[in-house]
Amino acid sequence: MNFRLTQKLAKKIKVPLQSLDVHENPLADWTANFFTADRTQYVIVCNTATLFSCLFYGSGVNNDDKFIKAALMAIRDAMEDEGLEQLYLDKIVPATGSIRFGKSLNRSVTGSVTEQINAAKARLEDPTQAPYQVAEMLNRNLLSYLGEKKGDYGKPKEAFHALC
């Protein structure tokens, strides 16, 4: 399984980054970033191919073991909410036998994740919004990265279901 981290997140959890090829299983390739909204730390984890997003609290996530556990739990919970729990067990759990940390895939993915973070920050300023509620909203955002042709847009939730 690949986790593609920003320099800031890699420094927080104390892991070196390497260049990684795209994982042969697109469900086992995720991009993560660390951000602060309203003085609270969060981590966003997005499927690299579809930008399907999961959010969790970043406080206390200070090493690779804690990051992996929190990220996998967030991914599992999001997939269960989508009715994809069996797919999680069949396609993602086997890939967790070998977890690698690497650099971002490309600037398009990094830019789209930053766009998702900006949308999340706006929603997280409302104290009644939990991270999972904000992630549900993010997965309905229109993103140009997911468009099939120039000027086209797609939604992470729809792209993730299509991938599944």
Side-chain angles (χ1 to χ4, degrees):
M1 181 165 204
N2 291 347
F3 282 112
R4 299 172 184 281
L5 311 179
T6 60
Q7 292 290 335
K8 184 167 54 170
L9 181 55
K11 184 177 179 182
K12 179 177 172 59
I13 66 171
K14 304 167 189 82
V15 295
L17 298 179
Q18 58 188 346
S19 293
L20 297 175
D21 291 330
V22 175
H23 199 282
E24 63 271 4
N25 172 5
L27 293 174
D29 200 317
W30 295 77
T31 299
N33 199 348
F34 169 75
F35 67 99
T36 302
D38 198 28
R39 297 187 317 201
T40 303
Q41 297 177 348
Y42 297 94
V43 176
I44 186 170
V45 181
C46 303
N47 177 265
T48 304
T50 66
L51 297 175
F52 182 80
S53 301
C54 310
L55 284 177
F56 58 92
Y57 291 106
S59 179
V61 178
N62 54 13
N63 63 39
D64 57 345
D65 186 54
K66 290 178 183 177
F67 170 81
I68 292 167
K69 287 178 182 172
L72 290 176
M73 187 166 66
I75 294 167
R76 184 195 70 222
D77 291 347
M79 289 183 73
E80 283 179 5
D81 289 346
E82 294 294 321
L84 301 170
E85 57 270 27
Q86 193 59 48
L87 189 68
Y88 175 83
L89 296 172
D90 294 343
K91 298 286 186 179
I92 294 181
V93 170
T96 62
S98 171
I99 294 179
R100 298 178 302 167
F101 293 101
K103 299 174 183 176
S104 296
L105 181 62
N106 60 45
R107 292 172 66 186
S108 295
V109 172
T110 303
S112 296
V113 172
T114 300
E115 194 175 325
Q116 292 288 70
I117 288 171
N118 291 334
K121 284 180 178 181
R123 283 310 267 295
L124 289 167
E125 289 178 5
D126 178 355
T128 64
Q129 295 287 303
Y132 77 91
Q133 292 171 307
V134 174
E136 287 176 357
M137 180 272 307
L138 294 177
N139 290 325
R140 293 190 304 268
N141 280 351
L142 288 172
L143 299 171
S144 61
Y145 176 76
L146 300 174
E148 292 182 16
K149 59 184 187 288
K150 188 174 174 109
D152 203 4
Y153 293 84
K155 294 180 181 179
K157 182 177 180 174
E158 293 170 1
F160 192 72
H161 279 272
L163 179 67
C164 293

